[in-house]
Amino acid sequence: MNSASNPSRLELHVNPEDIPLYTTVLQGGVLVEARAGMPLGAFLDALPGFHHEYIVNEIQTIFLNGTAIDDLETPLEGDHPVLALSAAMPGLAGAILRKNSFHAALRTTVTERGDHHHQGNITITLKLFNSIARDCGPALLAGGIRLNAAVLQVFCATHPTLAAGRRDMVLDGRPITAATLSTWLEQENIITLIVREAAND
């Protein structure tokens, strides 16, 4: 078992049509390091698959530690902040939570920020939902994401039909079987996951 700072690397080569389904694993949260106090917008702009226009125009709901926020200059700070991103959601609840919404005054707001506890890097749990995951997820997955093994274990258990579309599975440079994958996930904590389209034969 490798340490969290040097996690084992699992690479899945899958059928192209299955890639959108794999992006739903991002709902469980991936672990991204960033500089403490880094503005939210700058953090997102540095991620694979994201760019400024997309962040401003398509990401309509942003939760930081469970609170809806509007300001992309909001600093990411504290112990293990959780950041969740979504496109516009339907109904009044969606309108209230949407960025810069007329109804934003109905939200519960945070009146003060905590002190900075970190001067170096912090680990952010990033969660992507709906079209944000579908649009930006493939680039994140292809570049490699860190996540808790339990998140992938639950994903595999709830999407058993995807196993048929896995053309190759490689763990730390060595091919593995489905049985080995299942056993390994039960023993690991933090892993690096890469999901790419399988090459055409």
Side-chain angles (χ1 to χ4, degrees):
M1 181 183 298
N2 289 354
S3 66
S5 60
N6 185 31
S8 292
R9 175 186 172 106
L10 174 66
E11 188 163 348
L12 306 179
H13 296 173
V14 306
N15 291 331
E17 62 270 21
D18 290 339
I19 292 290
L21 289 173
Y22 275 93
T23 64
T24 61
V25 76
L26 301 171
Q27 295 177 15
V30 301
L31 307 175
V32 185
E33 281 201 358
R35 186 183 73 255
M38 186 177 191
L40 168 61
F43 168 76
L44 294 177
D45 201 32
L47 294 173
F50 288 78
H51 56 82
H52 180 74
E53 290 76 14
Y54 185 88
I55 294 165
V56 171
N57 296 322
E58 301 299 329
I59 300 176
Q60 293 297 316
T61 305
I62 301 173
F63 282 97
L64 181 59
N65 296 327
T67 298
I69 61 172
D70 297 328
D71 188 0
L72 291 173
E73 292 300 313
T74 300
L76 297 171
E77 55 193 7
D79 294 321
H80 304 293
V82 178
L83 179 64
L85 310 178
S86 170
M89 295 185 291
L92 178 60
I96 292 171
L97 297 173
R98 197 169 302 144
K99 279 191 311 181
N100 303 313
S101 166
F102 174 78
H103 302 284
L106 297 176
R107 300 180 194 157
T108 300
T109 59
V110 176
T111 56
E112 56 183 62
R113 290 173 177 155
D115 296 331
H116 288 251
H117 296 294
H118 300 275
Q119 299 301 317
N121 286 348
I122 56 174
T123 299
I124 298 157
T125 298
L126 174 66
K127 300 183 177 186
L128 306 184
F129 295 90
N130 47 55
S131 63
I132 308 303
R134 293 191 298 273
D135 293 344
C136 303
L140 280 171
L141 291 169
I145 57 173
R146 283 197 310 141
L147 73 166
N148 285 300
V151 171
L152 182 57
Q153 192 174 18
V154 170
F155 174 83
C156 291
T158 54
H159 298 80
T161 58
L162 285 179
R166 293 178 199 148
R167 307 273 286 279
D168 293 292
M169 294 187 293
V170 180
L171 176 60
D172 291 334
R174 294 171 297 185
I176 61 168
T177 65
T180 300
L181 173 63
S182 179
T183 301
W184 174 73
L185 287 175
E186 292 176 356
Q187 299 171 346
E188 289 296 308
N189 183 15
I190 304 299
I191 65 172
T192 295
L193 172 67
I194 299 168
V195 181
R196 294 176 177 157
E197 292 185 9
N200 292 328
D201 296 331

